[in-house]
Amino acid sequence: MTEKIKINVTKETADILIKDAESFEFYKRDGRTLNKNALYTRIIVNYHETYRAKEAELFSYLKKALSKCKASKQETEELCYEVAAHINKLNAAKRREKFDCALSVKPTKESEPIIAYTEEYLLKGATLSEYFRNMFSSYASLPQDEREKIVFMPQYETIMQAIERKKKIFVTTSSVNGQKKYELSPYALSDSKEELHVYLLSCNNSVCIPMRLSRIESVSVLTENAVFTPQQKETFEKMLTFGPQFPYGKNEGEVKIQLSRRGIMLFKKMYVHRPVPVRVSNNEYYFQCSHNQIIQYFVRFGKDAYVVYPQSVRDSIRSFYAEAIARYDKGIGYFSKFKETDHQEDN
């Protein structure tokens, strides 16, 4: 089978799939054009068994419920197919949206055997297009971090196996500058607080590293045991509590922030990467999280947030504003040209 499969989905499902292609960095060689078919392939390959099990469970339930009716076995099964198809269609368009966004799925070496098996054994009266529409809609209904685990299932499962066995791993990551290689001691896999991404928390020698799952290209389990110092374990537990995506520097202590009334409102509204305070006293907020997280979050508050201490955090935010002001004062409204792939992060 080499023909493309045309699948009509709702705009919501289509938008989520495009968003995932961007978030999980499925780009073609030019670094800017989305490789949507590569994402579709990963969904088909990694999600088909889970989706098939969901379908089998639904069909089994319907068959058991409808068996109480006075109908032949064939009539019962036909009714099951009809009801299941109706349920799947409702789930694929919960707000009665139209299936007016067309996806084009080109079978690949990886996905072709699964597509052929699906066409031969799993359609149960549906078309191939309808079956994959329902599969993609089911995938899109999940939170983003759960979708990331599906798309990068082999890496996720291998890392989990290494963590359970307390073994080191050898990891390769893809970047615009080529492939990078690491020998790591994996501590945990953790979802971000906003359910956006999954992060591997590990250490390379003495450094505690957060690494996004979607940027890990391959993983191999090594025979050497993973070992962590008490200080590393303490740092990892902080990352699990306050945010797994932010690296910790050495001897990062408490941060005290004063907020204006508007700053307090901003803190309530701006939940993405929001640090968790260990205590609050009137308009004074105290944090024990990564200083990197504090800087990235509160730099957006402008005059409505003031770092009382430490000096290093205050200086970093002050430098951020000073450099921006200097550029505007000099009227430098342009940047030097860069390669098309330079906009992507390395890891």
Side-chain angles (χ1 to χ4, degrees), residues 241-242 253-259 264 267 275-289 294 298 308-310:
T241 301
F242 299 117
E254 183 177 80
V255 179
K256 179 180 178 181
I257 305 281
Q258 286 183 344
L259 298 178
I264 293 173
F267 188 79
V276 180
V278 291
R279 66 183 187 279
V280 177
S281 177
N282 195 11
N283 68 326
E284 297 177 338
Y285 289 66
Y286 299 82
F287 304 91
Q288 289 283 0
C289 62
I294 292 291
F298 282 107
V308 181
Y309 61 76

Side-chain angles (χ1 to χ4, degrees), residues 63-98:
K63 191 172 182 179
K64 183 178 179 180
L66 294 172
S67 64
K68 299 174 184 178
C69 302
K70 293 181 178 179
S72 67
K73 182 179 179 180
Q74 182 178 349
E75 289 173 332
T76 301
E77 288 192 354
E78 288 175 353
L79 189 56
C80 286
Y81 296 147
E82 185 177 341
V83 174
H86 181 68
I87 292 173
N88 285 329
K89 189 172 182 179
L90 290 177
N91 287 336
K94 292 184 173 61
R95 289 176 289 279
R96 298 184 180 275
E97 306 100 318
K98 294 181 179 179

